[in-house]
């Protein structure tokens, strides 16, 4: 698994008196229990043997078993234009395109849970990236139904302002007026707030944000805050105020993670402090079924209880947050409650987003399973053999240049 950290994380975010149990330490530094015990033993012995060729082969095997591209990222999310794959793009939901600029495919520091870990391990067959925005803009011109572009990585904020501008500038062209919202996924707000405050081109970056907003686009920084410790330093708070002063919006999101933030109090502090500083609580996710999932995952029932307790302890201004949400193959599945209906305890679920837009906000129910940690472990409630969306005909998404939607196939 990839490892990278920086001096700010080491000096300002980690409480070294609490190591190894400090949440930011666990968020940055790998632990042997993040690997299957047998894999750890095999890899350890190969390291000791000095057989680098066999070690590389074994590492590749371990990575392949870690589900490097969950939820159909390679098989169902990669679009085509004139029969050719458009590099560095994913298109899962009708209105939103994800874009992976090659210059933004690293981060200031890596999170040990990150579901984008394949971007960082140096294996080309696991990597998404586009050298320029030409393929993206060509695709967008053909798809006026797209209203949102999410620039992601890695972390686009690793780029210098001049480089980021080359990717953003084409999105402001009049022929792309249907692109109303530009989102930038970033961990820099937590791991390197200097990017918005003290870096040599920080002021240029903020002026670029102002220009995007002035061009009539809604600019949202999707801030990945995993623990309230990331909001406590004065420079992190200053970064938020400077960003929002440009007219851009910051939205806060994170998965709920064992060893990191599996405490309602952490979420309460994160959301209330975020709102105080001008950030909008957006999503609590369920840890994805990839990477070192067994180390971080929680039973869905426990994740829901953490969310419910934290949500009930904050004011309405923080209740913009949604969750816990699973970014599964068919879409973002919200755990809406754990009611008892007709004598049966169930998970109440609904899609917040879906490959098929007609599924959004249609409630459905799964049999309660106290051990389940992911959507594919759930079965329908009330004796039903299949979920309702499994019986619907596949939707031809060829109009989007995408493969057929094979949900339930």
């Amino acid at each position: 698994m990839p490892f990278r950290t920086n001096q700010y994380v080491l000096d300002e975010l980690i409480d070294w008196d609490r190591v190894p149990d400090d949440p930011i330490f666990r968020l940055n530094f790998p632990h042997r229990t993040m690997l299957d015990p047998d894999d750890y033993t095999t890899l350890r012995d190969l390291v000791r043997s000095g057989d680098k060729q066999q070690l590389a082969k074994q590492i590749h095997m371990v990575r392949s078993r870690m589900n490097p591209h969950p939820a159909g990222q390679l098989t169902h999310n990669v679009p085509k234009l004139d029969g050719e794959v458009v590099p560095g793009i994913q298109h899962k939901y009708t209105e939103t395109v994800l874009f992976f600029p090659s210059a933004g495919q690293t981060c200031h520091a890596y999170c040990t849970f990150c579901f984008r870990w394949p971007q960082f391990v140096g294996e080309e067959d696991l990597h998404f990236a586009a050298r320029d925005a030409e393929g993206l803009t060509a695709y967008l011109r053909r798809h006026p139904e797209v209203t949102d572009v999410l620039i992601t990585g890695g972390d686009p904020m690793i780029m210098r302002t001049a480089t980021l501008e080359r990717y953003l500038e084409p999105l402001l062209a009049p022929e792309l007026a249907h692109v109303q919202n530009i989102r930038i996924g970033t961990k820099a707000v937590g791991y390197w707030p200097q990017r918005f405050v003290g870096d040599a081109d920080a002021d240029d970056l903020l002026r670029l944000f102002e220009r995007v907003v002035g061009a009539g686009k809604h600019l949202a920084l999707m801030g990945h805050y995993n623990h309230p410790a990331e909001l406590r330093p004065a420079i992190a708070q200053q970064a938020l105020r400077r960003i929002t002063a440009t007219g851009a919006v910051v939205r806060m999101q994170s998965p709920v993670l064992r060893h990191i933030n599996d405490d309602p109090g952490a979420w309460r502090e994160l959301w209330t402090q975020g709102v105080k500083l001008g950030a909008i609580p957006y999503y609590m996710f369920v840890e994805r079924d990839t990477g070192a999932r067994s180390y971080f995952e929680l039973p869905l029932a426990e994740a829901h209880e953490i969310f419910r307790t934290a949500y009930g302890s904050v004011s309405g201004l923080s209740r913009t947050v949604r969750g816990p949400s699973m970014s599964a193959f068919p879409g973002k599945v919200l755990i809406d409650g754990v009611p008892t209906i007709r004598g049966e305890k169930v998970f109440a679920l609904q899609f917040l987003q879906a490959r098929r837009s007609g599924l959004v906000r249609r409630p459905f129910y799964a049999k309660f399973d106290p051990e389940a940690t992911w959507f594919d472990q759930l079965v329908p409630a009330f004796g039903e053999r299949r979920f309702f969306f499994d019986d619907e005909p596949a939707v031809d998404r060829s109009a989007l240049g995408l493969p057929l939607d094979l949900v339930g196939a």
Side-chain angles (χ1 to χ4, degrees):
M1 304 303 291
F3 169 76
R4 185 180 190 183
T5 192
N6 65 50
Q7 204 63 42
Y8 175 78
V9 172
L10 298 178
D11 292 346
E12 302 296 331
L13 299 185
I14 295 175
D15 181 352
W16 291 95
D17 292 332
R18 295 182 60 194
V19 168
D21 295 325
D22 177 76
I24 306 299
F25 179 81
R26 291 190 180 273
L27 195 59
N28 270 247
F29 286 83
H31 303 264
R32 62 179 293 173
T33 49
M34 292 179 185
L35 282 176
D36 176 89
D38 290 341
D39 286 335
Y40 177 87
T41 300
T42 300
L43 292 168
R44 179 201 63 196
D45 293 345
L46 284 170
V47 168
R48 289 174 175 173
S49 75
D51 188 342
K52 294 183 179 180
Q53 184 175 1
Q54 188 60 32
L55 176 62
K57 182 179 178 180
Q58 186 65 30
I59 288 172
H60 180 77
M61 290 175 61
V62 172
R63 287 172 178 165
S64 298
R65 291 200 304 272
M66 286 183 166
N67 191 21
H69 284 296
Q73 291 183 111
L74 279 178
T75 58
H76 289 74
N77 296 1
V78 179
K80 293 183 178 180
L81 196 63
D82 298 327
E84 299 291 331
V85 168
V86 185
I89 293 179
Q90 291 184 26
H91 192 180
K92 181 176 181 179
Y93 305 127
T94 300
E95 69 282 353
T96 304
V97 162
L98 275 62
F99 179 57
F100 297 75
S102 59
Q105 299 314 304
T106 186
C107 295
H108 291 93
Y110 294 148
C111 297
T112 42
F113 74 87
C114 183
F115 87 98
R116 296 285 190 208
W117 64 267
Q119 294 291 100
F120 313 134
V121 296
E123 297 196 25
E124 287 301 318
D125 59 331
L126 300 181
H127 195 252
F128 281 100
R131 294 183 181 276
D132 54 49
E134 291 182 7
L136 172 65
T137 54
Y139 185 78
L140 292 174
R141 284 194 292 270
R142 299 270 194 96
H143 293 278
E145 74 279 4
V146 175
T147 59
D148 290 48
V149 172
L150 169 56
I151 303 173
T152 186
D155 190 336
M157 289 294 101
I158 203 79
M159 294 187 282
R160 308 312 302 167
T161 300
T163 305
L164 178 62
E165 185 176 21
R166 290 201 297 269
Y167 290 109
L168 291 181
E169 176 72 27
L171 300 179
L172 308 183
E175 62 266 27
L176 297 182
H178 58 282
V179 177
Q180 302 168 19
N181 308 306
I182 299 173
R183 313 182 203 178
I184 301 176
T186 183
K187 184 68 181 175
V189 286
Y191 276 177
W192 192 254
Q194 293 91 329
R195 184 70 192 92
F196 312 96
V197 178
D199 278 3
D201 63 344
D203 290 344
D204 294 335
L205 178 64
L206 298 179
R207 284 192 288 268
L208 176 60
F209 290 173
E210 290 175 343
R211 183 179 170 198
V212 173
V213 173
K217 305 293 185 182
H218 176 81
L219 178 62
L221 269 68
M222 317 307 291
H224 297 265
Y225 291 100
N226 305 121
H227 192 274
E230 297 167 298
L231 275 178
R232 292 170 189 159
I235 192 171
Q237 298 182 15
Q238 185 182 4
L240 267 177
R241 294 190 179 101
R242 296 197 84 199
I243 294 167
T244 56
T246 68
V249 171
V250 177
R251 297 181 184 270
M252 310 171 69
Q253 57 188 22
S254 170
V256 57
L257 304 158
R258 189 178 298 282
H259 307 295
I260 307 296
N261 57 23
D262 53 337
D263 169 22
W267 290 91
R268 179 175 61 249
E269 181 183 350
L270 182 66
W271 295 337
T272 55
Q273 282 297 105
V275 167
K276 181 180 177 181
L277 294 166
I280 301 170
Y282 187 52
Y283 267 120
M284 175 198 277
F285 290 112
V286 174
E287 166 63 352
R288 287 200 178 196
D289 55 337
T290 182
R293 62 176 294 187
S294 62
Y295 184 85
F296 294 107
E297 67 185 0
L298 297 164
L300 299 178
E302 186 177 344
H304 175 264
E305 187 60 23
I306 291 170
F307 177 87
R308 190 188 67 81
T309 302
Y311 192 86
S313 66
V314 298
S315 79
L317 292 176
S318 295
R319 293 182 181 176
T320 52
V321 68
R322 298 172 291 181
S325 171
M326 294 175 278
S327 293
F329 182 88
K332 288 184 171 68
V333 181
L334 173 72
I335 305 169
D336 209 20
V338 187
T340 298
I341 301 175
R342 301 204 305 255
E344 181 177 344
K345 191 174 184 180
V346 298
F347 285 116
L349 308 169
Q350 60 176 289
F351 286 103
L352 293 176
Q353 182 61 281
R355 292 182 186 274
R356 308 176 194 167
S357 58
L359 301 183
V360 173
R361 288 292 184 178
R362 289 176 62 179
F364 61 105
Y365 301 92
K367 186 176 180 179
F368 180 78
D369 181 349
E371 304 299 324
T373 59
W374 192 249
F375 181 65
D376 62 7
Q377 298 168 12
L378 301 179
V379 297
F382 314 126
E384 296 291 331
R385 294 180 59 192
R386 296 163 66 86
F387 290 116
F388 76 94
F389 47 86
D390 290 333
D391 295 322
E392 294 188 357
V395 176
D396 184 354
R397 289 164 63 83
S398 60
L400 296 180
L402 291 170
L404 293 182
D405 185 349
L406 299 179
V407 175

